[in-house]
């Protein structure tokens, strides 16, 4: 490529970058509100719960408090629990007996989900808790163990600056409707289908 052609490309690049920066800056300047957010992380791909725990880390980094309620899949010992449950600013509750196909006891799962929800509802009424993670909450709602109206009412009545992250596949339409931010993580590939078991630090 000739020097002139290189220079022409550099100039064009600079002009495109300038326009892009002006557009981004204008959008940033227009976003001036603060608000307690409801996030729903759903879809079949890997990365929902681990993203929620990333936000727990961010919250603690500001010296704020976080509460995590693990619905359904609470029986396994996982790295995030070992790490965060020792932290003085974290409330960590296991609200499930394990996967439903493991317990094979519907009434026990219903009782565990409802007892877990009572604890979560207390955190949703507590303004000193900056972030509430309701991990795998989509399942007890889908199975009909928890009333969607009950859940939505507690979310609507929470302190105005409190953030909530709900994870799990197949989020209820009304949960998606109520949320401020929704991500559906797409399953493109997963090593499990290649015969790789859950790896510590990555999957658990
Ligand atoms: P993570 O906790 O790793 O962020 P997740 O919350 O998105 O995962 P879950 O459905 O809660 O996904 O499942 C948790 C476990 O199942 C993890 O070990 C994860 O790697 C694994 N997993 C997640 N998605 C898939 C998938 N599509 N196929 C196989 N295993 C999966
Ligand atoms: Mg998960």
């Amino acid at each position: 490529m000739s020097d002139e052609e290189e220079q022409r490309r550099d100039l064009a690049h600079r002009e495109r970058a300038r326009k892009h920066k002006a557009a981004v800056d204008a959008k940033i300047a227009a976003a001036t509100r603060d608000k307690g957010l409801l996030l729903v992380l759903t879809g079949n791909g890997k990365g929902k719960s681990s993203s929620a725990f990333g936000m727990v880390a961010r919250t603690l980094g500001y010296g704020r408090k976080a509460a995590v309620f693990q619905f359904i899949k609470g029986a396994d010992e996982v790295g995030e629990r070992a790490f965060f449950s020792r932290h003085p600013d974290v409330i960590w509750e296991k609200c499930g007996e394990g996967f439903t196909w493991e317990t094979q006891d519907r009434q026990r799962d219903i009782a565990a989900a409802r007892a877990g929800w009572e604890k979560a509802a207390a955190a949703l009424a507590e303004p000193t808790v900056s972030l509430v993670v309701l991990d795998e909450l989509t399942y007890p709602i889908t199975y009909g163990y928890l009333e969607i109206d009950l859940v939505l009412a507690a979310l609507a009545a929470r302190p105005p600056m409190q953030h909530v992250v709900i994870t799990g596949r197949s989020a209820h339409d009304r949960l998606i409707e109520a949320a401020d931010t929704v991500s559906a993580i797409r399953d493109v590939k997963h090593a499990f289908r290649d015969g790789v078991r859950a790896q510590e630090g990555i999957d658990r």
Side-chain angles (χ1 to χ4, degrees):
M1 202 186 302
S2 72
D3 283 358
E4 273 155 47
E5 176 61 8
E6 269 293 297
Q7 277 178 2
R8 193 194 63 74
R9 286 193 179 195
D10 287 350
L11 269 173
H13 173 82
R14 207 174 302 150
E15 181 56 16
R16 270 197 311 274
R18 194 189 61 74
K19 282 186 180 151
H20 181 67
K21 179 173 160 36
V24 171
D25 287 351
K27 281 183 191 158
I28 292 171
T32 54
R33 286 193 303 135
D34 290 315
K35 178 180 189 247
L37 298 172
L38 174 60
L39 293 88
V40 173
L41 306 179
T42 191
N44 294 336
K46 181 216 178 327
K48 301 174 290 293
S49 299
S50 45
S51 167
F53 301 136
M55 288 180 259
V56 172
R58 285 182 170 172
T59 299
L60 298 177
Y62 289 96
R64 296 179 192 146
K65 290 191 196 325
V68 177
F69 299 89
Q70 291 194 291
F71 289 86
I72 304 288
K73 191 182 57 175
D76 279 5
E77 204 45 61
V78 289
E80 59 267 22
R81 176 179 157 82
F83 181 75
F84 284 117
S85 64
R86 285 198 295 255
H87 197 289
D89 293 331
V90 177
I91 297 166
W92 195 289
E93 295 280 354
K94 296 205 272 187
C95 310
E97 302 277 340
F99 282 113
T100 44
W101 57 85
E102 275 176 5
T103 63
Q104 295 165 8
D105 185 339
R106 189 170 166 272
Q107 288 308 321
R108 208 172 86 182
D109 287 344
I110 291 173
R114 292 190 180 158
W117 176 253
E118 290 304 315
K119 291 180 190 167
L124 291 170
E126 180 48 67
T128 62
V129 176
S130 295
L131 173 68
V132 178
V133 173
L134 303 171
D135 191 34
E136 323 296 345
L137 183 72
T138 59
Y139 303 103
I141 294 171
T142 304
Y143 301 153
Y145 300 172
L146 292 176
E147 276 291 325
I148 182 74
D149 288 314
L150 189 77
V151 172
L152 291 175
L155 290 170
R158 77 188 193 277
M161 285 311 297
Q162 186 183 67
H163 302 302
V164 177
V165 183
I166 297 175
T167 80
R169 298 178 190 199
S170 316
H172 195 291
D173 286 346
R174 289 180 60 205
L175 213 50
I176 289 175
E177 198 186 316
D180 300 285
T181 296
V182 179
S183 295
I185 299 184
R186 189 161 66 92
D187 178 21
V188 178
K189 265 189 186 183
H190 197 291
F192 180 69
R193 289 198 290 280
D194 226 16
V196 183
R197 65 178 131 189
Q199 297 295 295
E200 292 179 359
I202 300 295
D203 297 297
R204 51 177 291 149

